[in-house]
């Protein structure tokens, strides 16, 4: 039997209100940890994107200018400006595709066959050849077309021409240039013949060294927009970085919400502890009269608050894992982000914050208890 | 050399309606092994006197010397340790700790003092000496009769083998028969263990136990 034991027993004496106080801490810890994890995952997601597509400069026809598509000559100009970096011009359209009897509409990207491999990764099959009538399908499109039979080797009809699916693309996720996951990729030459068109809707420049991105962008703008605004150039790194900064503030903001809920929990512990002290004034008088020092009385009450905090933090920590996993799976679609060291740290941080809040909330009541005059406390009824 | 000495001790409670003088210029010497009764009407300052003797309270003026130490020179912690190691308190309301079982209540002062080994044996010994049977050891105070609770309280007061046993109306909440048994027990501790005992009481029949009776009226010894 020690002061810790006494503290534990007193908590057991009022299990209902102790449970309520613990629930407060649990919620606070979960809020802080899962908000942190969520924010962190948003950061991770953008991080992944930067490495995936952060080396990309996208050139569009300038809005409001006379240019709506790029000619072969303009593409060559952009190529000159881009120097040694790979330039991939492409066109896109939206059309009805049919597989057997099933008809549906899909986004179609037309890319020079030789360039496809530099822009998109494949998961199965091969890239189509420039002269043949092969095409590729995006991973989500493949996954969603199980019933219609749109898969590797299948035949797709566009208009009155038939294409064979030679490859399936790897999933790419949201991008700033094109979104191939739900699309059909065809060689530009086939597109040009089929639709009788020889212009491009956009040009993607893959920059070898991410550090060059600024200069490539400036070179293209300088060359193309000399006389009038012909192109709009977007570099994904700049866009991602600003979003990335926003993600950081989102994390702090979300964790702030968590912190507020923990502070509310702290107030509830303070309340429970004040009740505990007030109810036990007489008992404190007895303890003091038989030789318990002030510091020992204080310790007893701090232990009480600490037990509530530690139990709450432990339960909260375990549940944070669950909530974190759910949130990652549902909101971000990447449950594996939870195993990121920073995500784990947020859980530890939430738990630590919970324990500290509880201890801090117990400090004042404990001090109050220790300062009681033993005789007045003994007279208390 | 007296073990407790009061030298011109006063205790004044300043209240908005005027100062309440609980003790006025009390001089007192208590020798080792004495059995002393403190009597007087309600509000005459008996409890105040006992609390100051037990280093639970400090006088407004004057000096109290307990076991050779002047309490005016002691810090709160030193006063507390004095209570823990040298003084056993017994109260009218028994004042056992409801969270703790009978054994644990008696063990508590020993644990405060840092004793671990052999504490349980000593506790069992004392409890048996005050007449608590082993079947009651694990009970909580609320499950005992008043007389039994007071016996446990006496056992707790004796746990650290104090020099003084200070009892504030120990029989005040008990019937005559139980009260007599408790007084017999306290007297035995004085006789057999050589404890210096001070008992506050309203019961004039208790005088037969005492070596000496101190009468208080309005905070003065008469
Ligand atoms: N904390 C306090 N504040 C103000 N006055 C007090 C306080 N404690 C005691 N007194 C006053 O001091 C006087 C002596 O009180 P004390 O408790 O010593 O009396 P007592 O002789 O023990 O009485 P009883 O027989 O009723 O227990 C009383 O007038 C009481 O009102
Ligand atoms: Mg009294």
């Amino acid at each position: 039997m020690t002061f810790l034991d006494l503290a534990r027993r007193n908590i057991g004496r009022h299990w209902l209100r102790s449970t309520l106080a613990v629930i407060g801490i649990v919620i606070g810890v979960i809020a802080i940890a899962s908000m942190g994890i969520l924010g962190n995952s948003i950061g991770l997601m953008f991080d992944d994107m930067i490495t995936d597509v952060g080396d990309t400069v996208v050139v569009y026809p300038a809005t409001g200018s006379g240019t709506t598509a790029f000619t072969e000559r303009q593409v060559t100009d952009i190529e000159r400006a881009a120097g040694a970096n790979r330039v991939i011009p492409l066109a896109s359209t939206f059309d009805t595709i049919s597989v057997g009897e099933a008809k549906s509409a899909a986004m179609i990207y037309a890319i020079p066959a030789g360039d496809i491999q530099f822009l998109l990764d494949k998961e199965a099959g091969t890239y189509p050849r420039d002269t043949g009538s092969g095409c590729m399908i995006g991973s989500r499109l493949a996954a969603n077309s199980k019933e219609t039979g749109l898969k590797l080797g299948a035949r797709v009809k566009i208009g009155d021409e038939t294409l064979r699916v030679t490859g399936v693309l790897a999933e790419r996720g949201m991008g700033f240039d094109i979104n191939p996951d739900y699309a059909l990729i065809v060689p530009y030459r086939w597109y040009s013949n089929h639709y009788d068109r020889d212009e491009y809707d956009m040009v993607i420049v893959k920059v070898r060294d991410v550090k060059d991105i600024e200069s490539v962008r400036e070179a293209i703008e300088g060359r193309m927009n000399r006389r009038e605004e012909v192109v709009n150039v977007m570099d994904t790194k700049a866009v991602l970085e600003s979003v990335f900064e926003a993600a950081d503030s989102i994390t702090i903001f979300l964790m702030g919400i968590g912190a507020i809920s923990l502070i509310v929990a702290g107030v509830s512990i303070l309340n429970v502890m004040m009740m505990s002290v007030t109810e036990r004034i007489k008992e404190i008088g007895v303890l003091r009269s038989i030789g318990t020092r002030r510091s020992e009385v204080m310790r007893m009450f701090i232990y009480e608050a600490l037990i509530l905090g530690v139990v709450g933090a432990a339960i909260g920590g375990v549940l944070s894992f669950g909530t974190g996993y759910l949130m990652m799976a549902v909101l971000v679609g990447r449950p594996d982000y939870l195993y990121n060291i920073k995500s784990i740290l947020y859980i530890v941080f939430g738990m630590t914050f919970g324990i500290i809040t509880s201890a801090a909330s117990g400090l004042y009541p404990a001090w109050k208890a220790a300062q009681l005059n033993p005789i007045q406390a003994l007279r208390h009824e | 050399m007296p073990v407790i000495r009061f030298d011109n001790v006063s205790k004044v409670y300043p209240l908005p309606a005027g100062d309440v003088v609980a003790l006025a210029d009390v001089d007192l010497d208590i020798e080792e092994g004495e059995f002393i009764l403190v009597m007087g009407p309600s509000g005459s300052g008996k409890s105040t006197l006992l609390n100051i003797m037990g280093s639970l309270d400090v006088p407004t003026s004057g000096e109290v010397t307990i076991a050779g130490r002047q309490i005016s020179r002691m810090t709160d912690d030193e006063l507390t340790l004095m209570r823990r190691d040298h003084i056993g308190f017994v109260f009218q309301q028994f004042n056992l700790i409801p969270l703790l079982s009978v054994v644990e209540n008696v063990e508590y002062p020993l644990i405060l003092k840092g004793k671990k080994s052999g504490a349980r044996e000593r506790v069992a010994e004392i409890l048996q000496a005050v007449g608590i049977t082993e079947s009651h050891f694990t009970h909580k105070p609320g499950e005992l009769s008043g007389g039994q609770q007071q016996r446990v309280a006496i056992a707790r007061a004796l746990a650290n083998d104090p020099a003084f046993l200070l009892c504030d109306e120990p029989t005040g909440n008990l019937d005559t028969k139980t009260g007599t048994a408790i007084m017999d027990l306290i007297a035995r501790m004085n006789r057999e263990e050589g404890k210096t005992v001070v008992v506050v009481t309203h019961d004039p029949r208790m005088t037969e136990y005492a070596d000496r009776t101190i009468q208080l009226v309005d905070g003065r010894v008469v």
Side-chain angles (χ1 to χ4, degrees):
Chain A
M1 185 202 54
T2 55
F3 296 112
L4 189 66
D5 203 31
L6 270 174
R8 193 181 51 74
R9 287 191 202 191
N10 192 54
I11 288 172
R13 182 157 65 173
H14 302 287
W15 65 269
L16 180 63
R17 79 176 186 214
S18 302
T19 309
L20 291 176
V22 165
I23 288 174
I25 292 289
V26 168
I27 292 172
V29 169
I30 294 179
I32 255 195
S34 48
M35 291 300 162
I37 291 172
L38 181 63
N40 185 41
S41 306
I42 293 173
L44 281 174
M45 200 163 73
F46 287 124
D47 235 0
D48 280 359
M49 273 186 199
I50 282 206
T51 46
D52 278 0
V53 296
D55 58 348
T56 306
V57 173
V58 189
V59 187
Y60 297 105
T63 42
S65 72
T67 322
T68 53
F70 296 131
T71 61
E72 202 73 55
R73 259 198 63 178
Q74 282 173 310
V75 172
T76 314
D77 275 347
I78 293 172
E79 250 163 18
R80 289 209 181 101
N85 298 301
R86 183 167 296 278
V87 173
I88 305 167
L90 59 90
S92 60
T93 185
F94 200 70
D95 208 341
T96 309
I97 61 171
S98 38
V99 183
E101 292 301 302
K103 273 192 200 307
S104 60
M107 191 75 202
I108 298 169
Y109 289 110
I111 306 171
D115 287 335
I116 298 177
Q117 56 178 306
F118 299 107
L119 191 62
L120 303 167
D121 297 327
K122 72 170 165 22
E123 190 174 87
T126 57
Y127 290 103
R129 276 180 299 123
D130 194 31
T131 49
S133 53
C135 71
M136 293 183 91
I137 53 175
S139 64
R140 308 296 315 163
L141 181 63
N144 292 351
S145 307
K146 293 251 156 62
E147 288 136 50
T148 59
L150 180 57
K151 56 175 193 234
L152 192 60
R155 289 182 188 282
V156 197
K157 248 178 107 175
I158 302 175
D160 51 6
E161 283 189 68
T162 306
L163 286 160
R164 204 173 64 83
V165 179
T166 61
V168 178
L169 295 172
E171 180 159 358
R172 191 163 182 261
M174 190 181 105
F176 286 90
D177 43 6
I178 59 173
N179 293 302
D181 286 351
Y182 291 92
L184 202 72
I185 313 296
V186 298
Y188 186 78
R189 186 192 291 248
W190 179 88
Y191 166 87
S192 180
N193 288 335
H194 182 77
Y195 291 99
D196 192 21
R197 188 167 175 244
D198 55 7
E199 286 183 320
Y200 299 92
D201 296 312
M202 65 195 280
V203 174
I204 295 170
V205 182
K206 284 281 170 193
V207 181
R208 282 211 177 94
D209 188 344
V210 179
K211 286 201 281 296
D212 293 340
I213 236 167
E214 275 296 295
S215 58
V216 169
R217 174 197 178 127
E218 275 162 20
I220 295 170
E221 275 172 344
R223 190 174 181 110
M224 304 302 293
N225 293 348
R226 211 167 345 184
R227 258 164 298 165
E228 51 169 343
E229 197 82 349
V230 175
V231 299
N232 274 345
V233 186
M234 185 183 83
D235 83 71
T236 49
K237 186 165 168 266
V239 174
L240 283 173
E241 265 168 3
S242 60
V243 179
F244 194 64
E245 268 164 31
D248 264 358
S249 355
I250 290 172
T251 308
I252 292 169
F253 173 74
L254 291 178
M255 284 185 59
I257 294 175
I260 289 170
S261 71
L262 248 189
I263 286 165
V264 172
V267 171
S268 102
I269 290 221
L270 183 85
N271 191 29
V272 165
M273 293 303 299
M274 281 315 276
M275 276 164 79
S276 177
V277 171
T278 330
E279 286 168 355
R280 294 166 76 195
I281 288 180
K282 169 119 185 175
E283 203 178 311
I284 294 164
V286 175
L287 291 173
R288 294 279 284 125
S289 73
I290 59 175
T292 313
R293 275 172 282 185
R294 280 193 177 139
S295 56
E296 289 164 332
V297 171
M298 190 144 171
R299 226 160 77 201
M300 193 168 83
F301 282 93
I302 289 180
Y303 281 155
E304 204 172 309
L306 262 180
I307 292 174
L308 296 176
V310 168
V311 170
I315 299 174
V318 171
L319 293 184
S320 295
F321 249 107
T323 340
Y325 189 89
L326 259 173
M327 265 191 342
M328 294 307 89
V330 174
L331 294 182
V332 189
R334 288 286 301 271
D336 59 302
Y337 279 156
L338 187 62
Y339 305 116
N340 177 273
I341 182 75
K342 253 175 116 184
S343 298
I344 306 285
L345 274 179
Y346 277 117
I347 294 180
V348 174
F349 177 76
M351 290 173 69
T352 315
F353 203 69
I355 294 173
I356 291 175
T357 310
S358 316
S361 312
L363 222 52
Y364 175 71
W367 180 83
K368 266 290 223 217
Q371 292 306 312
L372 284 175
N373 176 312
I375 298 163
Q376 271 157 19
L378 269 175
R379 286 163 156 259
H380 197 270
E381 281 313 316
Chain B
M1 178 69 184
V3 283
I4 297 177
R5 156 163 278 174
F6 274 51
D7 197 3
N8 208 18
V9 169
S10 297
K11 180 74 183 181
V12 181
Y13 290 104
L15 292 182
D19 290 357
V20 176
V21 181
L23 285 181
D25 305 327
V26 173
D27 288 310
L28 198 64
D29 280 348
I30 297 175
E31 302 294 334
E32 191 174 351
E34 267 195 299
F35 192 124
I36 292 188
L37 225 52
V38 179
M39 296 188 75
S42 188
S44 57
K46 305 182 295 294
S47 295
T48 307
L49 181 82
L50 200 78
N51 289 340
I52 293 177
M53 260 182 211
S55 70
L56 195 57
D57 204 352
V58 288
T60 316
S61 67
E63 184 61 84
V64 177
T65 314
I66 304 170
R69 299 190 63 187
Q70 299 185 321
I71 68 165
S72 64
R73 291 164 184 270
M74 290 162 75
T75 63
D76 186 81
D77 266 7
E78 286 171 327
L79 291 171
T80 307
L81 293 188
M82 170 78 96
R83 295 199 291 276
R84 187 189 76 182
D85 299 339
H86 302 291
I87 290 152
F89 270 108
V90 178
F91 305 92
Q92 182 176 353
Q93 275 103 4
F94 323 132
N95 286 351
L96 295 171
I97 301 159
L99 277 179
L100 304 179
S101 70
V102 164
V103 205
E104 287 166 339
N105 260 286
V106 181
E107 200 182 17
Y108 181 83
L110 293 169
I111 286 166
L112 273 188
K113 213 175 164 177
K115 284 211 188 80
K116 290 208 174 65
S117 59
R120 275 288 153 107
E121 285 96 275
R122 167 142 180 81
V123 168
E125 215 172 273
I126 306 170
L127 278 171
Q128 256 137 21
V130 299
I132 296 290
T133 53
E134 214 167 325
S135 55
H136 288 107
F137 280 14
T138 53
H139 286 233
K140 288 280 157 67
E143 300 158 11
L144 301 180
S145 73
Q148 285 168 327
Q149 286 190 57
Q150 196 60 302
R151 283 171 193 275
V152 176
I154 292 171
R156 180 180 69 185
L158 293 170
N160 273 331
D161 196 19
F164 312 103
L165 205 51
L166 307 181
C167 316
D168 197 346
E169 303 189 41
T171 60
N173 276 9
L174 302 172
D175 60 70
T176 319
K177 189 159 162 277
T178 321
T180 308
I182 291 294
M183 279 312 285
D184 285 339
L185 177 61
I186 293 171
R188 205 179 85 215
M189 292 305 151
N190 170 251
R191 241 183 5 256
E192 291 172 8
E193 311 272 332
K195 310 275 180 221
T196 306
V197 174
V198 180
V199 176
V200 170
T201 184
H202 283 290
D203 189 345
R205 285 173 307 160
M206 300 296 179
T207 44
E208 63 186 79
Y209 293 97
D211 300 322
R212 187 148 69 97
T213 301
I214 296 170
Q215 282 285 347
L216 278 181
V217 176
D218 293 336
R220 289 176 193 279
V221 181
V222 293

